[in-house]
Amino acid sequence: MRVLICGGGVIGASLAYFLARRGAEVLVVERTGLACAASGKSGGFLALDWCEGTPLDGLARASFALHAELAGTLGGEAWGYRRLDTYGGYGGAGHDAGEPALPWLSRRVSVSRRLGTARSTAQVDPAAFTAAMMHAAQSHGAGLHLGQVTGMVREEGAAEVRGIVVDGEVVTGDAVVVAMGPWSILATPWLPLPGVFGLKGHSLLFATGADVPAQALFLEYEEPDGEVLTPELFPRRDGTTYVCAISSEPPLPLDPVDVAPDPGAIERLEAMCRALSPVLARAPVVARQACYRPVTRDGLPLIGRVPGLDNAYVATGHSVWGILNAPATGQAMADLILDGVSRTIDLAQFDPARLRPFDPTRLQLGSTR
Ligand SMILES: Cc1cc2nc3c(=O)[nH]c(=O)nc-3n(C[C@H](O)[C@H](O)[C@H](O)COP(=O)(O)OP(=O)(O)OC[C@H]3O[C@@H](n4cnc5c(N)ncnc54)[C@H](O)[C@@H]3O)c2cc1C
């Protein structure tokens, strides 16, 4: 079976790996660059049981286990996989905790609880993980093509898609998967899909060397103007420390290369980082970036067959847990496409048919190209 995957983010690359490992012929078509969007600019934090009590629990637990298994079998040091301790705390410009709670933090931060241990929390470098999944897929024969998907090939009223249009050329396949993150909304004129929307987040990457131990941190931090930000700090195995905060909802640019930080957001994030840690205060910044989480109307991903079609599928809308949930999504989708049923995850709760299709005449993107 020849499967065409639209989008080379963590979801497309993970699906490519699980399909190719089972012997399918796979082609990933990526518009801009592998992991060029959220899959390359996210935190890469993984948690075993933080989705407990929600429909995501099974997917998250299966993914957490698969991350460990993939790291063991494919060499996870290449993508910075490691277990780590995780803490929660609070602070602010006017806060004085006395002694620093952890040696790398300033007195402006208090650590109030342990949120996870090496048993329950872990991390990857998301860009390297996505690249490794694609590379592993390629070693099983998958292909990666740089090009823009601009349409689907389907006869009027037919229940089957014959292929996709890539930069004006028809590429045929037996099955098609939309995995374009927030840009999956661009597929709504071609397929009856629910809406997927983009929620923007900003982040910085500091070169901290060996000065920050394997301790992830989730904070509530009061700014001098009284606004409370919720920064997440993830020291990585490669000697960098990732910090994200400040969400916003500007329109999604049509082209992923046009995603840029909001005016002033990076400066604000940088000032906060320098206040909450002397290590960050002296560390060079190696990346200043923004990206969009793909979110759906009910907050759950779309994983399954496109309603009314026999061989078109969608895998997107993973919101804040796309890096965590990519492996089990890829494995379950591969089973669904090749066997007609997922053996590992009950996909009924993520069925795209639960939400009404988006009306494509309402498409409004922050288009610049
Ligand atoms: C600030 C921030 C921090 C995050 N931290 C974490 C975290 O710690 N842990 C976690 O699990 N998750 C985290 N996430 C969420 C996670 O990053 C996303 O859920 C995940 O990356 C989404 O992956 P994706 O493959 O669906 O989409 P994307 O990464 O957006 O990939 C979609 C791809 O499709 C391509 N594309 C678009 N249009 C076309 C087209 N027409 N033709 C071909 N290709 C196209 C794009 O170029 C892009 O490469 C975070 C997100 C943000 C924003």
Side-chain angles (χ1 to χ4, degrees), residues 34-122:
L34 197 67
C36 67
S39 299
K41 295 173 181 163
S42 86
F45 179 78
L46 316 174
L48 169 70
D49 51 8
W50 289 22
C51 298
E52 200 165 272
T54 79
L56 286 174
D57 191 41
L59 189 69
R61 286 175 185 273
S63 286
F64 193 81
L66 277 174
H67 269 288
E69 192 183 309
L70 291 166
T73 53
L74 299 176
E77 32 327 310
W79 60 86
Y81 177 84
R82 67 175 174 181
R83 302 295 185 108
L84 77 180
D85 290 324
T86 302
Y87 299 94
Y90 59 93
H95 182 77
D96 188 352
E99 281 303 296
L102 300 170
W104 57 284
L105 297 176
S106 77
R107 295 162 62 115
R108 293 199 169 103
V109 182
S110 291
V111 168
S112 50
R113 58 207 171 111
R114 190 194 281 264
L115 299 173
T117 64
R119 187 195 69 83
S120 59
T121 53

Side-chain angles (χ1 to χ4, degrees), residues 7-11 29-33 36-39 42-45 147-149 179-183 201 234 242 244 256 291 293-294 316 318-324:
V10 72
I11 301 298
V29 180
E30 161 55 42
R31 172 176 179 161
T32 305
C36 67
S39 299
S42 86
F45 179 78
Q148 184 182 354
V149 179
M180 303 193 303
W183 291 277
F234 306 127
Y242 173 98
C244 67
C291 61
R293 303 169 182 95
T316 188
H318 290 72
S319 187
V320 297
W321 289 121
I323 308 298
L324 168 65

